[in-house]
Amino acid sequence: MASFIEDYALLSDMNTGALVSRAGSIDWFCAPRFDSRAVFAALLGEREHGRWLLAPLESVNPAPVEEVRTERSYRENTFILQTVWFVGDASVRVTEFMPLSGGTTIVRNVEGLTGEVTMYHELAMRFDYGKTVPWVTRYEGTSSDGSPDPDAAMLVGMAGPHALVFHGDSVPEGDPESKAETFTVSAGQSYTFALSYFASNHNPPAPVDYATALTYTQDQWSEWSDLYTAPEEETEPQATGADMAGADMTGADTASPEEISAVRSVPEFQEDATESLKTSSILLESGSNTSSLEVDEETYRELAQTAATPLAVPTEESHREEADARYREARLRSLLVLRALISRETGALVASATTSLPEVIGGKRNHDFRFTWLRDVAMAMDVTLTHGHERETAQLRNWILRALANNPRQIHAVYGLAGEKDDMERRLALPGYEGSQPVRSGNGSGDQFQGDALGQVLVTFANLREQGVAEDHLSWPIQKALLNAATERIGETDRSMWEIYGEPSTYTHSQAMLWAAFDAGVSAVRDYGMDGDATTWEACRDTVAEDILTRGYNEALGCFVSTYGGSSVDASLLQLPQIGLVAWDDPRMLATVKRIEETIQHASGMIYRYDNSDSHDGFEGQDNPHFISTLWLAEQYIRSGREADGRALLNLVLDCANDLGLMSSEYDFAHERLTGNFPQALAHISLIRVVEALGL
């Protein structure tokens, strides 16, 4: 059985990724791309569907004879995972990563730290989501003089076009379906293992030099991280959240309830401490003797002064600094997640590394997110350019242009990693995560028109123009074609950005994104001298705006609503001020936020995407609170003057993320578990935006 979603860590080589559990099992690995068929699929099934387990024997035994615990973290600003296993008084460190020097390889190193630990090592190679068991051959190595060299032995698993090669300081034995062994690691000893994917018509790649690959990979991740300079390292003053939003941040200096509580408790703490010193006896040490003595007046005054020293008491400012440091760290990890999910081969941003992890455990909301949504790419471009990652911004921009290079009326919401259009959705013969069915490969929403996708692309290109990125021979002609095609989309029904399975409707958010598209086109002509029919686009923009304000706004409720003529709200409405349709503190927007709080907010403070009490999305029951939607609400709070509420919501989200700072799509508060595909790119993009709103 797979581990809890929050127990997984992501490894990435910027072309594909692997998920390794806290229990030491790599249960998900697609090769050579994120969207390839899985080599290890135990995440959605059982051990026989493929996994690679490396852990102390005591942790695998049904009844451990020793206490086993772990501590894990990424090396600073990398996706190099280090897990320290403690078995009684002994310990080992397992270092795992995917080299960035080429090829598709997972490297795992076991280093003895203290005492002696027996490790259990099991390798079950599979292809086609566990359906295909490869033919595995052991090849004995030879040295340069032709003599046998056990250290150069390797395993090669082959099936049709696919092949894997395993190199290691110890090579497991076993039957064709699974290789297993135990080995003992003492302090100072080290064992290295590597598994590489290759096309079966090629020769197996050479063994990886562990030290060289580790150093290079760490340097590459660190170099990427260093492109962004944290605000505290800059010499120029930073813009505040109010400056960035152009809003009156009346609550900018308001402390959170926790901070207020901490500050208010200070006098009581000091008074109680002083009172206890007046009435208690203190144990004083003198040489080897310890005695109970009444405190004399001079000692009392010294101790009372120490107890009352302000430096020993947490202040509102220190709480704020500590929180800000946490936010910056989360922002940097989120930027790293984006880099980990951007294909260096194609420039696409995969929405997640997984398929079919359920939004509700045991439910049917299980989708394949190993695809690229135009919306995600466009939003990612905004944050990568803002944080100095021009190369990645160019990769994402060029990917969008290639994907859109067809009939502008055939724009899709979602594409394959190379920009291909595959609308076929297949069901896989896997048990599913904790029995959640169906398990899907492919995404059928690719053939849906979604107004928000078109609008988000054009808004992002407008943002690029504002930041000095020039148009080229392809970018502006494609934008013009999209704008001209959009004139025929006004009022068109779709299934919303949430891709519901129910009946299509005219969604306010989708139409608002069309408004944003026309507004971007008008600006390109009027402000930047681009050629185009600005008069027509301007008329379309104004028509859409009027429709939204008359049909997407419910006068009786005094707020925007999800669909024209409807009465319900959904989280997509939180994007209206993001695109500039209304101000963050517009009374209509504040009323919409209030309605969201009243109808789709969970008791925790997080919010759902929408209310599904009527099962309008094609599924029965409500899903779990949604990270992305909640972070949009946090940004809305901050930019409309409710900074304390925004910080509290951000803190809640960070508390729900796993110990490595990774988020899935949703959170199940009843069971205190992450749900949905993992890690989720748009959730991390949204977190970056919230931290930016704070001016950090």
Side-chain angles (χ1 to χ4, degrees):
M1 178 178 173
S3 297
F4 287 174
I5 294 170
E6 58 267 26
D7 286 337
Y8 285 97
L10 173 69
L11 309 179
S12 171
D13 66 359
M14 303 182 188
N15 272 327
T16 187
L19 295 186
V20 53
S21 74
R22 190 184 292 276
S25 182
I26 297 179
D27 291 338
W28 185 252
F29 174 48
C30 298
R33 299 194 332 182
F34 285 108
D35 58 349
S36 299
R37 297 181 178 186
V39 170
F40 300 134
L43 179 68
L44 299 176
E46 304 294 341
R47 58 191 294 184
E48 59 263 27
H49 295 105
R51 71 172 185 177
W52 184 7
L53 175 63
L54 181 61
L57 181 63
E58 285 81 359
S59 71
V60 179
N61 287 333
V65 296
E66 295 275 7
E67 179 188 358
V68 180
R69 60 186 179 89
T70 63
E71 293 178 359
R72 67 176 182 174
S73 62
Y74 287 120
R75 284 198 179 187
E76 184 178 10
N77 300 342
T78 73
F79 274 95
I80 300 171
L81 180 69
Q82 292 190 319
T83 304
V84 178
W85 291 86
F86 298 92
V87 183
D89 295 330
S91 61
V92 296
R93 177 168 52 226
V94 178
T95 301
E96 306 167 89
F97 66 100
M98 298 185 71
L100 298 180
S101 50
T104 305
T105 300
I106 301 173
V107 177
R108 312 181 82 176
N109 172 268
V110 184
E111 177 188 359
L113 299 179
T114 60
E116 190 174 87
V117 177
T118 299
M119 300 293 292
Y120 178 75
H121 189 197
E122 178 188 301
L123 177 64
M125 292 187 277
R126 298 291 187 272
F127 296 112
D128 301 325
Y129 302 103
K131 184 174 65 175
T132 302
V133 179
W135 185 273
V136 180
T137 304
R138 179 185 175 108
Y139 291 91
E140 299 299 337
T142 57
S143 60
S144 57
D145 61 3
S147 60
D149 182 4
D151 292 337
M154 64 181 180
L155 298 176
V156 176
M158 186 178 300
H162 309 293
L164 294 166
V165 58
F166 173 88
H167 297 280
D169 291 330
S170 178
V171 179
E173 303 283 353
D175 59 50
E177 296 194 4
S178 180
K179 307 292 184 184
E181 66 169 349
T182 60
F183 60 94
T184 300
V185 184
S186 301
Q189 285 187 310
S190 177
Y191 287 76
T192 300
F193 310 97
L195 183 72
S196 301
Y197 173 88
F198 66 103
S200 62
N201 60 316
H202 293 170
N203 291 326
V208 172
D209 182 280
Y210 171 70
T212 301
L214 179 66
T215 300
Y216 180 82
T217 300
Q218 177 163 318
D219 289 347
Q220 289 294 300
W221 282 115
S222 298
E223 178 183 341
W224 192 86
S225 302
D226 289 343
L227 290 176
Y228 173 66
T229 303
E232 66 267 25
E233 298 174 13
E234 298 177 354
T235 57
E236 295 296 323
Q238 294 300 295
T240 65
D243 295 331
M244 297 172 68
D248 179 17
M249 295 288 284
T250 56
D253 295 325
T254 304
S256 68
E258 294 80 7
E259 292 167 337
I260 294 171
S261 175
V263 174
R264 287 177 176 172
S265 67
V266 170
E268 287 79 5
F269 163 76
Q270 294 175 342
E271 181 179 343
D272 290 345
T274 304
E275 189 64 30
S276 67
L277 287 170
K278 290 180 180 178
T279 59
S280 300
S281 295
I282 306 296
L283 290 178
L284 301 176
E285 289 189 5
S286 177
S288 60
N289 299 320
T290 303
S291 59
S292 179
L293 302 173
E294 288 294 322
V295 180
D296 60 30
E297 185 176 353
E298 182 178 352
T299 304
Y300 158 72
R301 284 198 299 268
E302 292 176 356
L303 292 171
Q305 179 63 35
T306 301
T309 301
L311 293 177
V313 179
T315 64
E316 179 182 352
E317 183 179 356
S318 65
H319 276 291
R320 179 65 64 95
E321 291 175 353
E322 182 179 345
D324 288 352
R326 184 190 190 195
Y327 302 155
R328 293 187 186 101
E329 182 180 351
R331 187 248 315 277
L332 183 51
R333 176 51 57 185
S334 292
L335 285 165
L336 284 161
V337 170
L338 291 190
R339 176 58 270 188
L341 296 178
I342 295 174
S343 168
R344 57 180 172 169
E345 176 187 349
T346 69
L349 170 69
V350 64
S352 179
T354 61
T355 178
S356 303
L357 289 182
E359 294 170 1
V360 177
I361 302 298
K364 298 180 179 180
R365 289 184 176 90
N366 318 319
H367 307 290
D368 192 347
F369 273 26
R370 299 170 301 156
F371 287 83
T372 301
W373 272 256
L374 289 177
R375 174 196 321 117
D376 295 5
V377 174
M379 289 183 171
M381 288 165 62
D382 288 336
V383 300
T384 54
L385 185 59
T386 299
H387 292 90
H389 300 295
E390 297 179 358
R391 181 181 60 189
E392 284 68 26
T393 304
Q395 286 180 315
L396 295 166
R397 175 185 180 274
N398 293 339
W399 179 90
I400 281 185
L401 294 175
R402 293 196 304 271
L404 294 177
N406 61 19
N407 186 329
R409 279 198 58 84
Q410 295 178 348
I411 181 174
H412 291 224
V414 57
Y415 294 82
L417 294 192
E420 66 270 37
K421 303 163 192 65
D422 182 2
D423 305 329
M424 181 68 68
E425 189 172 281
R426 297 162 285 274
R427 295 195 175 186
L428 302 176
L430 283 167
Y433 183 85
E434 296 193 15
S436 302
Q437 286 282 339
V439 177
R440 293 183 170 98
S441 174
N443 196 295
S445 63
D447 61 349
Q448 297 179 9
F449 167 72
Q450 293 178 13
D452 79 289
L454 185 152
Q456 191 66 60
V457 167
L458 289 164
V459 166
T460 295
F461 273 94
N463 293 340
L464 294 180
R465 282 193 295 273
E466 290 177 7
Q467 297 190 57
V469 178
E471 303 287 359
D472 59 26
H473 66 286
L474 190 60
S475 63
W476 179 241
I478 286 180
Q479 290 175 71
K480 284 197 301 181
L482 292 175
L483 284 161
N484 292 330
T487 62
E488 304 172 18
R489 299 285 196 179
I490 297 174
E492 187 169 334
T493 62
D494 64 16
R495 288 187 166 84
S496 83
M497 71 171 295
W498 309 124
E499 300 166 3
I500 65 168
Y501 279 56
E503 290 299 315
S505 297
T506 304
Y507 281 88
T508 301
H509 170 257
S510 296
Q511 294 301 302
M513 295 308 297
L514 286 181
W515 172 89
F518 292 127
D519 190 57
V522 172
S523 173
V525 175
R526 304 269 197 249
D527 301 330
Y528 293 90
M530 309 303 294
D531 65 294
D533 190 357
T535 301
T536 297
W537 300 338
E538 193 169 40
C540 289
R541 179 194 65 188
D542 296 344
T543 296
V544 174
E546 184 178 357
D547 285 346
I548 292 172
L549 295 178
T550 56
R551 302 171 64 195
Y553 181 80
N554 187 308
E555 288 284 354
L557 294 174
C559 68
F560 293 104
V561 287
S562 298
T563 59
Y564 279 6
S567 59
S568 62
V569 294
D570 75 291
S572 70
L573 297 173
L574 292 167
Q575 287 202 303
L576 299 185
Q578 290 185 20
I579 61 174
L581 180 67
V582 293
W584 297 93
D585 58 355
D586 186 296
R588 295 165 297 184
M589 192 63 217
L590 299 182
T592 304
V593 171
K594 186 173 185 295
R595 185 71 174 170
I596 285 173
E597 293 170 333
E598 293 170 344
T599 60
I600 60 172
Q601 189 163 40
H602 183 263
S604 66
M606 286 183 65
I607 62 173
Y608 302 100
R609 291 176 294 182
Y610 45 79
D611 175 15
N612 194 51
S613 57
D614 59 357
S615 300
H616 76 277
D617 70 354
F619 298 98
E620 292 185 4
Q622 184 68 51
D623 60 350
N624 286 308
H626 193 236
F627 279 116
I628 298 165
S629 301
T630 300
L631 288 162
W632 290 348
L633 180 60
E635 182 179 1
Q636 167 66 34
Y637 282 160
I638 293 165
R639 294 192 185 276
S640 63
R642 296 172 60 181
E643 183 174 333
D645 291 334
R647 283 175 173 267
L649 210 48
L650 178 55
N651 288 337
L652 175 62
V653 166
L654 294 179
D655 289 343
C656 291
N658 80 352
D659 59 308
L660 298 171
L662 306 181
M663 291 180 287
S664 61
S665 59
E666 300 185 355
Y667 192 83
D668 180 349
F669 281 92
H671 300 94
E672 298 183 346
R673 296 182 58 182
L674 294 179
T675 61
N677 284 305
F678 175 86
Q680 189 86 352
L682 190 52
H684 288 276
I685 293 171
S686 303
L687 186 148
I688 294 167
R689 288 182 56 99
V690 176
V691 179
E692 289 174 351
L694 289 169
L696 299 177

